[in-house]
Amino acid sequence: MPQVFDTIIIGAGWAGAVAARDLAHAGRSVLVLEARDRIGGRARTWANGDARIDLGCSWIHGYNEGNPARWIAKDMGVQTTHLPKPTPSAIYGPSGPLETPVAAQLGSALGAAQAAFRTPHPAPGPRESLADALFSSASPLGKVEDKSLAEGFARTLEVPLGLKLERASLRWAGWEGATNFAGSDAAPEGGYEALVGKVFQDAEKHGAVVKTGEPVTGVRDMESGVAVQTDKGSYQARTVLCTIPVAVLRQQLGIFHPPLPERYQDIVRGVNVGVLEKMLLNYDKPWWPRANEVASYIFLPTKAPGGQSLMDVLESSTIITANLAGPALPGATPTLLSYLSDTPARAALSVSPAEVAQTFHAFLKKRLDVPDAPEPRASEITNWLTDPLSLGATTTPTPVSDGERSPMDFKELSRPTWDGKLGFAGEHTEMENRGSVAGAVVSGMREADRVKRYLSKHDAKKQ
């Protein structure tokens, strides 16, 4: 007879890793099935010599504020003491670097505007957006003389948000800020992908089985447990934990038999998944100005939207470029890592990676006014949006809607079904920490505890 596992975990990202480790340590039999040919999910690390640069998740946010990823890294023997040093950013407008007083005014005005509209009361209508508030006459940003600079700088928020300001709900703006892990940051030495690998190695030492390159094609509720079908075989378990990213789950609702509850399906279809891509350009040596001084460059638009070419889109967008040769982190490398929000990301993914690298290098030479800058020796552009196993970055804050969307969506996505035999984990199931490694980790811990209680309860009934 085939082995009946205590738990089958679908997906080998952060949530699956933490759950597998916790359950295996508790003496439960665990099988992890991963569709990719590697573990890590949206943890992916670019390597070149001694350089390790994360192209997916990259920080342990709230390092000193209780993020459990810190303690997991410590358990795995991974150093995470690399707290960034306070280092300024250089802001570039259409005419070049902004003077310090102008840059300081932009920063203080945006900070004041965010504070003014955080969880506003009385609550605005569900169709009102963050853009409506930030760009209104009452906004502190309205006091900035150059309105185009103010709007361009405000759009730096679209990078962490994962969506355009016009789509971000004003009603729920800043709702998570009181409870999520934030404050100090740290980067795991060797990158996030290696850290997830160590967590799985620890799970395997305690008996977990991990299979990659094996996408799940069917999950069926049975009286005796759950049957899971892949393109390579079938498996049985007493419980199943699904950690499929929600945008992918949206495309795979048909694999569940019987179907998931209609309300659950509606929320899966309704939550918003963000767009964020990273463009990496690696050089023989730094050629950009103030390479030993600044942490990043913020490029504000130099033209109005509407152009068709990738260069047109870059020049009409707000781009944040991290200077990895700078003093903020140890292990400096001659690399510029740019964060592309919705519009520039979609434009970049519409052309070949080689064209993206060539165009972006030309964009940086022009904006930094270094016409003879040497060509990059290596480049990489992520494709989280078009990758069929991610279909986006992470979930975003609640989008504008007709009233049906709220942060409670993430809570509802954490609810198990099939009398507790089928559970769900991942950043999209954590209301307080969605969109982060912390959310994935906390969800994996939560579901491991729930599954242990479920199994213990049913074990007791057999005695």
Side-chain angles (χ1 to χ4, degrees), residues 96-109:
L98 299 184
E99 296 292 334
T100 299
V102 177
Q105 183 190 24
L106 288 176
S108 62

Side-chain angles (χ1 to χ4, degrees), residues 184-219:
S184 56
D185 291 333
E189 191 174 80
Y192 255 123
E193 192 171 349
L195 177 53
V196 179
K198 288 179 180 292
V199 176
F200 273 116
Q201 289 171 14
D202 187 50
E204 289 177 302
K205 287 180 182 178
H206 288 81
V209 178
V210 180
K211 296 188 177 186
T212 57
E214 195 159 350
V216 170
T217 57
V219 183

Side-chain angles (χ1 to χ4, degrees), residues 3 39 46 86 106 138-139 162 189 210 213 257 282 303 322 342 344 440:
Q3 178 180 359
I39 59 173
W46 180 85
L106 288 176
S139 170
E189 191 174 80
V210 180
H257 308 281
N282 176 254
K303 61 170 59 174
D342 189 294

Side-chain angles (χ1 to χ4, degrees), residues 84-89 292-296 326-329:
K85 300 175 183 177
T87 309
S89 295
N292 295 322
E293 302 174 28
V294 300
S296 63
L329 289 169

Side-chain angles (χ1 to χ4, degrees), residues 3 5 47 49 66-67 73 76-77 82 112 192 229 233 269 271 348 358 369 372 427 439 445 463:
Q3 178 180 359
F5 292 90
N67 189 328
M76 299 297 102
H82 297 166
Y192 255 123
Q229 185 70 40
R269 296 186 185 102
V271 296
Q358 181 181 30
D369 194 23
D372 59 347
E427 55 84 15
M445 297 167 64
Q463 294 177 357

Side-chain angles (χ1 to χ4, degrees), residues 424-436:
F424 301 90
E427 55 84 15
H428 60 281
T429 70
E430 270 299 312
M431 185 170 65
E432 309 289 352
N433 292 284
R434 60 110 218 120
S436 67

